[in-house]
Amino acid sequence: MEIVGAFALTEPLDGSDIAAGMRTTARRDGGAWVIEGAKRWIGNATFADHVVVWARDVADDEVKAFVVVVDHIEVQMS
């Protein structure tokens, strides 16, 4: 079984410069994580099975990586 992945770091306003301020956020909602924000230039995005999404945790202000199964997310491609 082949699984295709993608890497979602680059943001529309700051590129991949995490030091400039990651605008995508993550917060816990019960037992789940809610990730909100926008990413750009994600290779494999249109056919990936899993995406590693980088987001700033609102609870501790740390940037974290989240492995997201594409079937479980709302994605708007542009």
Side-chain angles (χ1 to χ4, degrees), residues 11-13 16 18 23 28 30 35 38-39 43-45 58 60 64 69 72-73 77:
E11 296 192 331
L13 298 177
S16 57
I18 295 174
R23 296 175 194 272
R28 280 211 181 263
I35 301 171
K39 300 294 184 181
N44 297 345
V58 297
D60 62 12
K64 298 178 178 171
V69 178
H72 296 139
I73 61 175
M77 302 284 184

Side-chain angles (χ1 to χ4, degrees), residues 1-62:
M1 176 177 180
E2 183 176 302
I3 296 174
V4 177
F7 187 82
L9 174 66
T10 304
E11 296 192 331
L13 298 177
D14 298 314
S16 57
D17 186 3
I18 295 174
M22 170 119 352
R23 296 175 194 272
T24 300
T25 61
R27 64 178 170 78
R28 280 211 181 263
D29 184 10
W33 285 94
V34 176
I35 301 171
E36 297 178 301
K39 300 294 184 181
R40 296 256 172 128
W41 317 119
I42 305 169
N44 297 345
T46 58
F47 55 88
D49 301 299
H50 295 77
V51 179
V52 177
V53 179
W54 295 86
R56 185 172 302 281
D57 185 343
V58 297
D60 62 12
D61 206 37
E62 298 276 332

